[in-house]
Amino acid sequence: MASIKPLADRVVVKAQEAETQTASGLYIPDSAKEKPQRGTVIAFGPGKVENGTKIDMTVQEGDTVLYGKYAGTEIQLDGEDVLIMRESDILGIVND
Amino acid sequence: MASIKPLADRVVVKAQEAETQTASGLYIPDSAKEKPQRGTVIAFGPGKVENGTKIDMTVQEGDTVLYGKYAGTEIQLDGEDVLIMRESDILGIVND
Amino acid sequence: MASIKPLADRVVVKAQEAETQTASGLYIPDSAKEKPQRGTVIAFGPGKVENGTKIDMTVQEGDTVLYGKYAGTEIQLDGEDVLIMRESDILGIVND
Amino acid sequence: MASIKPLADRVVVKAQEAETQTASGLYIPDSAKEKPQRGTVIAFGPGKVENGTKIDMTVQEGDTVLYGKYAGTEIQLDGEDVLIMRESDILGIVND
Amino acid sequence: MASIKPLADRVVVKAQEAETQTASGLYIPDSAKEKPQRGTVIAFGPGKVENGTKIDMTVQEGDTVLYGKYAGTEIQLDGEDVLIMRESDILGIVND
Amino acid sequence: MASIKPLADRVVVKAQEAETQTASGLYIPDSAKEKPQRGTVIAFGPGKVENGTKIDMTVQEGDTVLYGKYAGTEIQLDGEDVLIMRESDILGIVND
Amino acid sequence: MASIKPLADRVVVKAQEAETQTASGLYIPDSAKEKPQRGTVIAFGPGKVENGTKIDMTVQEGDTVLYGKYAGTEIQLDGEDVLIMRESDILGIVND
C-alpha cells in the first residue's frame, strides 16, 4: 500500500462521507449533498520552518478535523481521493 | 455532545437569531432577514504564535461579539450552524 | 443601552447626517444624497500590537473624523447604524 | 473656518484648476478637461511610525506637488473639494 | 543529452503517465485523461537563501512526488515535456 | 522654467521619440508607432529610506534608460509630457 | 553598437529561435511556433541588495537559460528584440 510523507506543515485528510439520509429518513440524491468539511488526519509533515525555527504541528494522526469547503488539494492515494492541506487550513479538532 | 478545539487564534461563534418581527409588529419573511452579525463566543483557540511569542486572546467564552457580514467559515456542530473565524475578524465586544 | 468595546485599533464612528437641503434651498431626495464621509468617534480600542509594542491611538471620543466612502463595516448598535473601522482608515480630524 | 489635522503621513492637497483655454485661444468645455494632477499642500500629518521610529515628512505647506490621476480620496472641507493622500502618493515638488 | 541545473529551490519533475485504461478495462480517449499530479524528481537546485541562510532541500533525485494540478512551468528538455516547480509546490513524497 | 524635485527614489524621464520612418524608408502613421520605452533621465530623487538607511540612486542625469511599456505616471512639465517612475521600474542604462 | 547595463538583479536574454521544421521534416508556419522559452544570457546586473547585503548573481554571460512563457519585458537593442528579466524569473541553466 502506498504511504505518503507530506512536506513542511502539510496534513493529509480523508474526508468523512456526507450523510446520505436526512433526519426524517429520506434519501437525498448525490448532487444535493454538501461537500464534506470534516475528515480524519492520516498523515502530517514535520512542521514548517520560520526564521530557522521549526514550528511543531498541533494535529495528530486519527484526529477528526474541520476545514473550509475549498481547503486543500485533492490527490489520489491507492485509488482513494484524499486532501492535502496546510495545517493553517484546519479550523479545529472535534471530539465527538 | 461534540466539542471543538479551535486551532491558533480561531474563535467559534454561535450567531444570534435575527429579529423576526419589525418594530411595528409585522413579521418579516425569512428571505428579507439580514444575516446576523452578532453572536456568542462558544470556544476559542490558544492564540497564534508570532516570531516565537504566543499572542493572548482577548475574547472570552460567553462574550457577545460583532463581526462583518462575510466573516468566518460556516461549519456544522451537533446539527447546528456555527461560525469559525479568526479573532482579528471580530470587531468588538458588546455589553447589553 | 448597549455599549461596545472595539478590539485592537478599531474605532466606532457615528456618521453625520448628509445635508438634505442644497445651498439654494432646494430639498434633494434621499437617493441623490452622497453617503456621509464625516462622523463622530463614539468608542475606540486599546490600540494594535506590533512586534510586541502597543501602538497608541490618536483619535479621542467626540472627535469629528473624515474617512473614505468605503471605510469600515456597518453594524447596528441600539437600532442605530454605526461604522467600525480601523484607525488607519481615518484620514484626519476636523476642527469646525 | 474648518481646519483639518491629517493622521500619520497624510497630506491635504487643493487641486489647481485645469486650464480652460487652449494655447490657440479656444475655450474647451468642462468634460474635455483633464483632471488636474497638480495641487497645493494645505495641511499634512506628523509622519508615519515604522518599527517605532517616526519618519519625517518631506512636503511643506504651500508646496506645489504632482500626483497621479487616481491618488487620494476626495473630501469636502468648507464646501470645497480637496484631496487627502499619503505622502508616498506624491511624485514630486514643482518650482515654477 | 541535455542536463539542467535548476536555480534556487526549483525542482525538475517528469510527470508520470496517466492511466490509459480504466479499472474495468476500457480505454479512455486522450482528452478525458486527468492531467497527472504525480511525477519523478530528475533534478533539483541548491536551495533558496533566506536572510543569508541557505535552506536545505528535502526532495531527492528519483523521489516520486505529488503536486497540484497547476504547479510548475512546462518546459522541453531533449524533446520531452517536464515541469520545473518550486519545492514549496510539492505536496509530499510517495512510497509505493 | 519649471523644475521638479522628485520624492524618494523617483526618476523623471523624457521619453525619446519613436522612429517615424521604417528601415525601408516608409513613413508610418502615428497610431502604428510603438510607445517609446527608452528615455533620458532629467531629474531624480534623493533615494528611498529602508529601515533607517538611505539607498543611493544608481541613475544619473542624462542617462539613457530603458523601462517597460507601462512604467511610470505621465505628467506635464512646461507643456511637455514626461514620466515619473520609481528607479526599480528602470530596467537598465544604455550606452550607444 | 549599443551595450546595456542592467540594474539590480536583472538579466538580458536573447531568445533562441524556435525550430521551424518539425522532426518529420515539415515546415510549420510562423503562427504555430511556440514562443521560445530558452535563451542566452548577454548581460546581467550587479545583483540586488537585501537588508544591506548584495546578493551575488548565479548566471554568467553565455549561459543558456530556461524561463517561463511570460517572463521578462521585451525591449529593442540594436534593432533586435531581447528580454530583460529578473534572475528569479530564470528557472535553470541548460548544458547541452
Side-chain angles (χ1 to χ4, degrees):
Chain A
M1 187 187 127
S3 73
I4 184 169
K5 189 179 93 179
L7 293 199
D9 61 334
R10 287 197 181 79
V11 179
V12 181
V13 174
K14 177 82 190 89
Q16 291 175 6
E17 293 292 325
E19 305 284 336
T20 52
Q21 208 175 2
T22 64
S24 55
L26 291 175
Y27 278 83
I28 42 176
D30 239 54
S31 61
K33 282 193 292 184
E34 244 193 14
K35 205 178 152 191
Q37 296 174 260
R38 178 186 280 244
T40 308
V41 173
I42 60 179
F44 56 97
K48 69 175 166 185
V49 177
E50 264 188 5
N51 298 321
T53 314
K54 182 172 289 194
I55 312 290
D56 286 334
M57 301 291 281
T58 301
V59 298
Q60 300 290 331
E61 212 179 305
D63 278 354
T64 298
V65 292
L66 295 173
Y67 47 89
K69 272 182 191 162
Y70 306 106
T73 302
E74 268 187 24
I75 56 166
Q76 284 215 329
L77 204 62
D78 290 327
E80 278 195 287
D81 288 331
V82 296
L83 290 163
I84 297 192
M85 60 186 72
R86 294 185 175 278
E87 193 182 72
S88 60
D89 289 328
I90 294 181
L91 305 167
I93 302 171
V94 182
N95 300 304
D96 287 301
Chain B
M1 186 187 126
S3 73
I4 183 169
K5 188 179 93 179
L7 294 198
D9 62 333
R10 286 197 181 79
V11 179
V12 181
V13 174
K14 177 80 190 91
Q16 290 174 8
E17 293 293 325
E19 304 285 336
T20 53
Q21 207 174 3
T22 64
S24 55
L26 291 174
Y27 278 83
I28 42 175
D30 241 53
S31 61
K33 282 193 292 186
E34 244 193 13
K35 203 176 152 191
Q37 294 175 262
R38 178 186 280 244
T40 308
V41 173
I42 59 179
F44 55 98
K48 69 176 166 184
V49 177
E50 263 187 5
N51 299 321
T53 313
K54 182 173 290 193
I55 312 291
D56 286 334
M57 301 290 282
T58 302
V59 298
Q60 301 289 331
E61 213 179 303
D63 277 355
T64 298
V65 292
L66 294 173
Y67 47 90
K69 273 182 191 161
Y70 306 106
T73 303
E74 268 187 25
I75 56 166
Q76 283 215 330
L77 205 61
D78 290 325
E80 278 195 285
D81 287 331
V82 297
L83 289 164
I84 298 193
M85 60 187 72
R86 294 187 174 277
E87 193 181 71
S88 60
D89 290 328
I90 294 181
L91 305 167
I93 303 171
V94 182
N95 300 304
D96 287 301
Chain C
M1 185 188 126
S3 73
I4 183 168
K5 188 179 93 180
L7 294 198
D9 62 333
R10 287 196 181 79
V11 178
V12 181
V13 174
K14 177 81 190 89
Q16 290 174 8
E17 294 292 326
E19 304 284 337
T20 52
Q21 206 174 4
T22 64
S24 54
L26 291 174
Y27 278 83
I28 43 176
D30 240 52
S31 60
K33 282 193 293 186
E34 243 192 15
K35 204 177 153 191
Q37 295 174 262
R38 178 187 280 244
T40 309
V41 172
I42 60 179
F44 56 98
K48 70 176 166 183
V49 177
E50 263 187 5
N51 299 321
T53 313
K54 182 173 289 194
I55 312 291
D56 287 334
M57 300 292 280
T58 302
V59 298
Q60 301 289 331
E61 213 179 304
D63 278 353
T64 299
V65 292
L66 294 173
Y67 47 90
K69 272 183 191 162
Y70 306 106
T73 303
E74 268 187 27
I75 56 166
Q76 283 215 331
L77 205 62
D78 290 325
E80 278 195 285
D81 287 330
V82 296
L83 289 164
I84 297 193
M85 61 187 73
R86 294 186 175 277
E87 193 181 70
S88 59
D89 290 327
I90 294 180
L91 304 167
I93 302 171
V94 182
N95 300 303
D96 286 302
Chain D
M1 186 188 127
S3 73
I4 183 168
K5 187 180 94 180
L7 294 197
D9 62 333
R10 286 196 181 79
V11 179
V12 180
V13 174
K14 177 82 190 88
Q16 291 175 7
E17 293 293 327
E19 304 284 337
T20 53
Q21 208 174 2
T22 63
S24 55
L26 291 174
Y27 278 84
I28 41 176
D30 240 53
S31 61
K33 282 192 293 184
E34 244 191 16
K35 204 178 152 191
Q37 295 173 261
R38 177 187 281 244
T40 309
V41 173
I42 60 178
F44 56 98
K48 70 176 165 182
V49 178
E50 263 187 5
N51 299 320
T53 314
K54 181 172 290 194
I55 312 290
D56 286 334
M57 300 292 280
T58 302
V59 298
Q60 300 289 333
E61 212 179 304
D63 278 353
T64 299
V65 292
L66 294 173
Y67 48 89
K69 274 183 190 160
Y70 306 106
T73 303
E74 268 188 25
I75 56 167
Q76 283 215 331
L77 204 62
D78 290 325
E80 278 194 285
D81 288 329
V82 296
L83 290 164
I84 297 193
M85 60 187 75
R86 294 186 175 277
E87 193 182 70
S88 59
D89 290 328
I90 294 181
L91 305 167
I93 302 171
V94 182
N95 300 304
D96 286 301
Chain E
M1 186 187 127
S3 73
I4 183 168
K5 188 180 94 180
L7 294 198
D9 61 334
R10 286 196 181 80
V11 179
V12 180
V13 174
K14 176 84 191 86
Q16 291 174 6
E17 293 293 324
E19 305 284 336
T20 52
Q21 207 173 3
T22 64
S24 55
L26 291 174
Y27 278 83
I28 41 176
D30 240 53
S31 61
K33 283 192 292 185
E34 243 191 15
K35 203 177 153 191
Q37 294 174 265
R38 178 187 280 244
T40 308
V41 173
I42 59 179
F44 56 97
K48 70 175 166 184
V49 177
E50 263 188 6
N51 299 321
T53 314
K54 182 172 290 193
I55 312 291
D56 286 334
M57 301 291 281
T58 302
V59 298
Q60 301 290 330
E61 212 179 304
D63 277 353
T64 298
V65 292
L66 294 173
Y67 48 88
K69 272 183 192 161
Y70 306 107
T73 301
E74 267 187 25
I75 56 165
Q76 284 214 329
L77 204 62
D78 290 326
E80 278 195 286
D81 288 330
V82 296
L83 290 163
I84 296 193
M85 60 187 72
R86 295 186 174 277
E87 193 182 71
S88 59
D89 290 328
I90 294 181
L91 305 166
I93 302 170
V94 182
N95 301 304
D96 287 300
Chain F
M1 187 186 126
S3 73
I4 183 169
K5 187 179 93 179
L7 294 198
D9 61 334
R10 285 197 181 78
V11 179
V12 181
V13 174
K14 177 82 190 88
Q16 292 174 6
E17 293 293 325
E19 304 284 335
T20 52
Q21 207 173 4
T22 63
S24 55
L26 292 174
Y27 278 84
I28 42 176
D30 239 53
S31 61
K33 282 193 292 184
E34 245 192 13
K35 204 178 153 192
Q37 295 173 261
R38 177 187 281 244
T40 308
V41 173
I42 60 178
F44 56 97
K48 70 176 165 183
V49 177
E50 262 188 6
N51 299 321
T53 313
K54 181 172 290 193
I55 312 291
D56 286 334
M57 301 292 280
T58 302
V59 298
Q60 301 289 333
E61 212 178 303
D63 277 354
T64 298
V65 292
L66 294 173
Y67 48 89
K69 274 182 189 161
Y70 305 107
T73 302
E74 269 188 23
I75 56 166
Q76 283 214 329
L77 204 63
D78 289 326
E80 277 194 287
D81 289 329
V82 296
L83 290 163
I84 297 192
M85 60 187 73
R86 295 186 175 277
E87 193 182 70
S88 60
D89 290 328
I90 294 181
L91 304 167
I93 302 171
V94 182
N95 301 304
D96 287 302
Chain G
M1 186 186 127
S3 74
I4 183 169
K5 189 179 92 180
L7 294 198
D9 61 334
R10 286 197 181 79
V11 179
V12 181
V13 174
K14 177 81 190 88
Q16 291 174 5
E17 293 293 324
E19 304 284 335
T20 52
Q21 207 173 4
T22 64
S24 55
L26 292 173
Y27 279 84
I28 42 176
D30 241 53
S31 60
K33 282 192 293 185
E34 243 191 15
K35 203 177 153 192
Q37 294 174 262
R38 177 186 280 243
T40 308
V41 173
I42 59 178
F44 56 98
K48 69 176 167 184
V49 177
E50 262 187 6
N51 299 321
T53 314
K54 182 172 290 192
I55 311 291
D56 286 334
M57 301 291 280
T58 302
V59 298
Q60 301 289 330
E61 212 179 304
D63 277 354
T64 299
V65 292
L66 295 173
Y67 48 89
K69 273 183 191 159
Y70 305 107
T73 302
E74 267 186 25
I75 56 165
Q76 283 215 329
L77 205 61
D78 289 326
E80 278 195 286
D81 288 329
V82 296
L83 290 163
I84 296 193
M85 59 187 74
R86 295 186 174 276
E87 193 180 71
S88 60
D89 290 328
I90 294 181
L91 305 166
I93 303 170
V94 182
N95 300 304
D96 288 301

